[in-house]
Amino acid sequence: METLHLARGIPRRTASAARAGVAASRAAGRARSAVSFWRRRSAGAGPVVLRRSAGGGRGGGGGFGGFGGSPQKDEFAVEDGERESEGEGGSGGGGLVLGAERDASGAVVGFSLAPQTRPDYVEVAGAEGEKGTDEIKETEETEGEEEAQTKLSYNIVFVTAEAAPYSKTGGLGDVCGSLPIALAARGHRVMVVSPRYQNGTVADERYAGAVDLGHCVKVHCFGGVQEVSFFHEYRKGVDWVFVDHPSYQRPGNPYGDSFGAFGDNQFRFTLLCHAACEAPLVLPLGGFTYGENCLFLVNDWHAGLVPVLLGAKYRPFGVYKDARSVLVIHNLAHQGVEAAVTYKNLGLPPQWYKALEWVFPTWARTHALDTGEAVNVLKGAIVTADRILTVSKGYSWEITTAEGGYGLNELLSSRKFVLSGITNGIDITEWDPSTDEYLASHYCVSDLSGKVQCKIALQKELGLPILPDCPLIGFIGRLDYQKGIDLISSAMPELMEDDIQFVMLGSGDPRFEEWMRAAESTYKEKFRGWVGFNVPISHKITAGCDILLMPSRFEPCGLNQLYAMRYGTVPVVHATGGLRDTVDNFNPYANEGSGGGTGYVFMATLLLMTVVSRERLCI
Ligand SMILES: Nc1ncnc2c1ncn2[C@@H]1O[C@H](COP(=O)(O)OP(=O)(O)O[C@H]2O[C@H](CO)[C@@H](O)[C@H](O)[C@H]2O)[C@@H](O)[C@H]1O
């Protein structure tokens, strides 16, 4: 498992005002420019310059959640999952030093990831001479390989509503499915806590490798006691922990079904947060628990109660005193807002109400008696987390503005000193055109000759006329207001006047799904709209298309443009958030006139007001 960190090396740009909308005609114009650019490219104008800023991360299983047994010494080293004595580990140069915990009589009672004198980290062998600093050690890219190792190793607990390949509706699943593996490869001990969704389809088999740990935890919430249990799989150096409860067993995706979002999501994710706080304390993974000295990475509102619980439920009793939490915001538009009366259901002490208190502005209230009082889980996480991260630098700034802050901009601005952005990486083993299992032909960015076979195969599979020279534009994503689908739909008649083909893959808002079906029957020879969630098709579109269109109104990071750049597919993106940060706008004058850049970045010319309505604030 390797990661590609596109953030490094990309010139940092000062983001201009977050634009909440783009002009559809502008999008069409840009797509047309890309078409003509593509034509020039096809005509021998040279390949698009795809600049990758950094190489992949170190592969390998590593990690140390998966071994057990009794140590013979107080400290021993572990390398690539194998246990060695300390002396042996020293010669290997890549071992981890662990400590044994002893009772008053000196008998070993367990193992600690922290040496007794420095209880919050372990040292990584090979970092001799540089001990005492707290930086992640990374060497510069060497022949496409990134050597990265940590000198401080943490017990990291991801809490997330989705983690691929077990569950995925979008980018959150991708990141929480691959980043833990990359961190484990660097020497951290990593656990991912996520629900064990069972929806009665073949997708349930994804959890087949996870075994019931036989551990139940009682959660006091929603006026009763709920019992949750845990399943566990140790895979690629990571402890994947799945919380089991009947509320995760129903048809649909993690958040809803064809009738919309589930009405009990607040309940389901409250359970997740309580369970995630218990997991490091009670689950003996690989023989021993993670313990209290954890770093919780809480992803989006679904995990947002975790930092609140640390402060409200555990620390008053001396538990998790040294634990820290990082809130990772993948999408600020979803905040977990419910009526104020639901606060009492969350299993929090009454005096902590203010942490979650949220009052809608007058204009957003629905009737004269509406006081606008609500609880907002993400707000609670923002005020209680030790650090706040977004998935790109640009987005970390945008959320502090009125246009991009979804009502939380002032609060986020007040926490600027702990707010930062780190651009997402991607899993370059899954997304690699030279090995991608879903492709009809393999190729690489330095030799795109196999790409045309992917295009022909895609045209064939979708029943489009097989025209290798016809520019093929693609879109992949959730059919959501965020993604600018309405802008594509209004640009479509103009786009279809050109000699192009257009393929869309997505699911979500039924209105957009209906529009895709209608567009397909209107433009039979040129347009295909695949309604549904289909990972193989997403790979085929990424490889088979010449251009990938992403006219997102806002985009915290965006992954598809990163995949596209890796597949030699020109991204055409709106200059917002992570799209602006990661796509280098094509400059025909660069490189002594031969051109340079990684795609097209268009600016919004029409600012559409973002209406922060209650509907958008609730999942
Ligand atoms: N119908 C379909 N079939 C198959 N695959 C599909 C699909 N629809 C989407 N996908 C896949 O889901 C992922 C979507 O990732 P994005 O980052 O573009 O969006 P998303 O808005 O969900 O994520 C949020 O979180 C991520 C991660 O932080 C941020 O990058 C992003 O900006 C933020 O909005 C991609 O891997 C894509 O291929």
Side-chain angles (χ1 to χ4, degrees), residues 266-280:
Q266 190 195 43
F267 169 72
R268 298 164 77 236
F269 295 117
T270 295
L271 282 186
L272 172 68
C273 294
H274 279 271
C277 290
E278 287 295 307

Side-chain angles (χ1 to χ4, degrees), residues 168-172 174-175 300 330-331 391 424 431 476-478 482-483 505-507 530 532-535 538 550 554-561 563:
K168 169 178 162 178
T169 67
L172 174 64
D174 276 347
V175 172
D300 281 350
H330 298 261
N331 196 333
V391 288
N424 280 331
W431 292 90
I476 304 163
R478 293 180 294 105
Q482 172 191 350
K483 302 294 179 183
L505 166 66
S507 60
W530 186 301
F533 195 89
N534 191 313
V535 171
S538 72
M550 294 183 73
F554 67 95
E555 197 59 77
C557 176
L559 298 175
N560 288 313
Q561 83 281 7
Y563 302 146

Side-chain angles (χ1 to χ4, degrees), residues 289-529:
T289 64
Y290 274 55
E292 291 181 44
N293 293 328
C294 289
L295 176 61
F296 285 91
L297 289 185
V298 305
N299 294 276
D300 281 350
W301 81 264
H302 322 101
L305 278 185
V306 168
V308 188
L309 287 168
L310 295 181
K313 183 178 166 187
Y314 291 92
R315 287 198 185 116
F317 298 96
V319 181
Y320 281 136
K321 288 190 306 294
D322 297 322
R324 293 292 181 267
S325 57
V326 180
L327 168 67
V328 186
I329 300 176
H330 298 261
N331 196 333
L332 191 68
H334 303 287
Q335 300 177 2
V337 180
E338 294 287 349
V341 292
T342 62
Y343 178 79
K344 64 180 184 316
N345 294 333
L346 304 178
L348 293 168
Q351 64 270 26
W352 277 74
Y353 175 73
K354 282 278 174 191
L356 272 70
E357 183 186 40
W358 176 252
V359 182
F360 280 99
T362 319
W363 61 263
R365 300 179 195 174
T366 50
H367 53 80
L369 298 179
D370 184 354
T371 57
E373 288 169 46
V375 286
N376 183 326
V377 175
L378 193 68
K379 182 238 163 176
I382 289 170
V383 299
T384 53
D386 296 293
R387 292 281 185 278
I388 303 167
L389 264 184
T390 63
V391 288
S392 70
K393 277 199 171 62
Y395 192 60
S396 73
W397 175 79
E398 287 178 7
I399 61 175
T400 63
T401 68
E403 291 88 350
Y406 274 85
L408 291 171
N409 43 301
E410 284 178 13
L411 181 63
L412 284 160
S413 298
S414 74
R415 300 223 68 205
K416 251 181 189 163
F417 60 101
V418 292
L419 171 65
S420 45
I422 301 176
T423 308
N424 280 331
I426 61 171
D427 181 344
I428 59 168
T429 51
E430 186 194 344
W431 292 90
D432 182 353
S434 65
T435 55
D436 192 324
E437 58 175 314
Y438 302 117
L439 304 191
S441 172
H442 291 133
Y443 62 93
C444 59
V445 286
S446 56
D447 176 10
L448 296 174
S449 52
K451 190 169 165 65
V452 70
Q453 293 307 322
C454 298
K455 180 174 182 175
I456 290 169
L458 180 66
Q459 289 170 331
K460 207 184 260 181
E461 182 164 354
L462 299 179
L464 282 168
I466 295 171
L467 301 169
D469 290 333
C470 176
L472 180 53
I473 304 175
F475 170 92
I476 304 163
R478 293 180 294 105
L479 301 181
D480 187 89
Y481 168 85
Q482 172 191 350
K483 302 294 179 183
I485 313 295
D486 51 327
L487 303 166
I488 297 180
S489 71
S490 50
M492 194 54 69
E494 200 181 336
L495 274 172
M496 288 290 130
E497 284 170 17
D498 278 342
D499 189 13
I500 60 152
Q501 294 176 338
F502 202 120
V503 181
M504 288 182 72
L505 166 66
S507 60
D509 189 326
R511 286 170 305 164
F512 295 136
E513 291 184 354
E514 202 40 56
W515 168 77
M516 273 165 57
R517 292 190 186 100
E520 188 169 310
S521 54
T522 309
Y523 308 107
K524 283 191 185 66
E525 297 298 299
K526 291 185 166 185
F527 182 88
R528 287 293 175 274

Side-chain angles (χ1 to χ4, degrees), residues 3-172:
T3 52
L4 168 67
H5 295 278
L6 283 144
R8 280 192 298 283
I10 291 175
R12 183 175 175 180
R13 300 173 194 175
T14 309
S16 66
R19 301 303 183 206
V22 299
S25 58
R26 187 72 179 218
R30 268 322 203 181
R32 277 180 160 172
S33 307
V35 168
S36 64
F37 168 65
W38 178 87
R39 285 211 171 99
R40 271 186 280 133
R41 199 182 60 167
S42 319
V48 62
V49 181
L50 289 154
R51 283 214 313 253
R52 195 150 61 80
S53 306
R58 207 164 62 99
F64 35 94
F67 73 91
S70 303
Q72 301 303 309
K73 300 182 176 184
D74 277 8
E75 294 181 335
F76 55 86
V78 182
E79 188 175 359
D80 292 331
E82 297 291 330
R83 190 156 59 99
E84 295 177 9
S85 74
E86 190 178 10
E88 290 160 349
S91 62
L96 297 166
V97 182
L98 303 180
E101 286 178 357
R102 296 173 180 277
D103 64 12
S105 69
V108 174
V109 293
F111 307 111
S112 165
L113 290 173
Q116 309 219 337
T117 49
R118 305 170 75 177
D120 55 348
Y121 64 88
V122 296
E123 295 169 356
V124 178
E128 286 91 348
E130 296 167 335
K131 289 176 187 167
T133 66
D134 61 352
E135 292 168 359
I136 298 283
K137 179 187 165 199
E138 291 179 10
T139 57
E140 290 302 310
E141 182 181 6
T142 49
E143 293 171 18
E145 283 252 336
E146 182 190 83
E147 293 275 332
Q149 241 185 14
T150 180
K151 282 190 284 184
L152 295 186
S153 175
Y154 294 95
N155 289 349
I156 299 175
V157 181
F158 277 77
V159 188
T160 174
E162 30 179 311
Y166 307 99
S167 54
K168 169 178 162 178
T169 67
L172 174 64

